[in-house]
């Protein structure tokens, strides 16, 4: 029986972020090429997006390509970029039907021209959708994001647009790629690794972390429900005591 019925729909995480890990190992264990793991991973992307929309999760952010992933073999990078274009073309209609707004974070200008073009087109076409914001982290690195924000803020101080006293949490937030997104409530990482890998370091300050051994291509809706139920059973104290929360 599905775990879905055990989810409290009034206490959903507003923002789920996922480190989709284990595509390569999934393929290797099956004696397949790594790229086939990524291809299979796109199916989990689809089912996870659909499940989140169905539940009413407002924000889903997927770590699709990190700044460090540029160092992978050329053929793997090329395949990942190809899969991205293919998926964007294939899924734009479904995004419209489900009112999913596409968003991207990262050094988008670093992506190949054809990927940028497709991405910006889908972002434009879906910009008025309201059910869920699907953010793809592409050529994304959290340190890179923070360096970038720091430069912009320093530039504003230098040009007397703001003063040093204006620098606070909110101002830093406004200079991150995620400026329009709420903080992450639930961070999921698949494949058994227990690392953050330069993903949303600022935004996960109070996130609940959930690690599962399941490889990303095997990640099902039931695995997602399990993560959400686990999240709902935790006490989020935000630095307060249990008594203060009552
Ligand atoms: C990590 O597995 C996964 C990636 C680096 C890429 C994730 C990309 C996809 C799921 C497909 C395209 C995405 C979209 C949004 C359509 P890994 O290769 O590091 O696995 P390993 O650690 O087992 O080697």
């Amino acid at each position: 029986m599905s775990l879905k019925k055990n989810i409290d729909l009034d206490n959903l995480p507003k923002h789920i972020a996922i480190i989709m890990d284990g595509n390569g190992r999934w393929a290797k264990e099956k004696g397949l090429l790594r790229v086939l793991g990524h291809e299979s991973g796109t199916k989990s992307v689809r089912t996870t997006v659909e499940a989140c929309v169905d539940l009413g999760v407002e924000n889903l952010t997927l770590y699709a390509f990190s700044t460090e992933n540029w160092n992978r073999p050329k053929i793997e990078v090329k395949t990942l970029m190809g899969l991205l274009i293919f998926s964007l073309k294939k899924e734009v209609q479904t995004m419209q039907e489900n009112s999913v707004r596409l968003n991207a974070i990262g050094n988008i200008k670093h992506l190949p021209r054809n990927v940028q073009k497709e991405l910006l087109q889908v972002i434009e076409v879906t910009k008025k959708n309201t059910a869920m914001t699907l953010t793809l982290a592409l050529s994304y690195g959290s340190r890179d994001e923070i360096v970038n924000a720091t430069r912009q803020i320093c530039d504003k101080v230098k040009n007397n647009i703001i003063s040093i006293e204006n620098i606070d949490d909110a101002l830093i937030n406004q200079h991150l790629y995620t400026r329009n997104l709420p903080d992450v409530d639930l961070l999921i990482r698949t494949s058994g690794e227990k690392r953050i890998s330069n993903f949303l370091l600022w935004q996960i300050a109070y996130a609940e972390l959930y690690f599962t051994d399941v490889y990303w291509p095997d990640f099902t809706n039931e695995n997602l429900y399990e993560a959400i139920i686990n999240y709902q059973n935790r006490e989020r104290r935000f630095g307060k005591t249990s008594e203060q929360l009552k």
Side-chain angles (χ1 to χ4, degrees), residues 20-25 34 38 42 64 69 72 87 136 216:
M20 310 181 287
D21 197 11
N23 294 351
R25 276 163 287 162
R34 288 180 58 82
H38 296 312
T42 61
N69 286 154
R72 292 201 170 189
S87 301
L136 298 182
W216 178 247

Side-chain angles (χ1 to χ4, degrees), residues 15 105 135 140 145 173 176-182 200 203:
H15 188 174
I105 55 171
T135 300
Y140 175 86
E145 178 181 39
N173 239 334
L176 299 173
Y177 295 131
T178 51
R179 58 183 72 86
N180 298 315
L181 299 175
L200 303 174
Q203 300 85 342

Side-chain angles (χ1 to χ4, degrees), residues 4 64 139-140 153 167 169 185 188-189 202 217 225:
K4 190 176 161 189
S139 191
Y140 175 86
I153 294 169
I167 302 174
D169 280 21
D185 295 307
I188 300 172
R189 183 174 190 146
W202 174 274
Y225 301 152

Side-chain angles (χ1 to χ4, degrees), residues 97-162:
E97 284 161 16
N98 290 292
S99 193
V100 173
R101 182 175 80 92
L102 186 74
N103 179 39
I105 55 171
N107 188 353
I108 303 304
K109 295 215 158 64
H110 208 116
L111 296 168
R113 281 271 167 78
N114 53 351
V115 178
Q116 284 188 47
K117 191 169 155 254
E118 198 59 43
L119 193 63
L120 297 179
Q121 242 170 39
V122 181
I123 289 174
E124 178 61 28
V125 172
T126 61
K127 72 178 179 198
K128 296 211 169 82
N129 292 344
T130 53
M132 186 178 83
T133 298
L134 168 64
T135 300
L136 298 182
L138 293 164
S139 191
Y140 175 86
S142 197
R143 287 185 171 180
D144 178 57
E145 178 181 39
I146 292 168
V147 167
N148 191 39
T150 309
R151 284 190 182 148
Q152 287 179 51
I153 294 169
C154 288
D155 199 55
K156 287 184 183 170
V157 171
K158 193 172 85 184
N159 292 303
N160 295 318
I161 298 168
I162 56 168

Side-chain angles (χ1 to χ4, degrees), residues 191-203:
S191 93
E193 305 293 358
K194 294 179 182 65
R195 284 191 291 273
I196 305 300
S197 300
N198 203 11
F199 189 43
L200 303 174
L201 299 178
W202 174 274
Q203 300 85 342

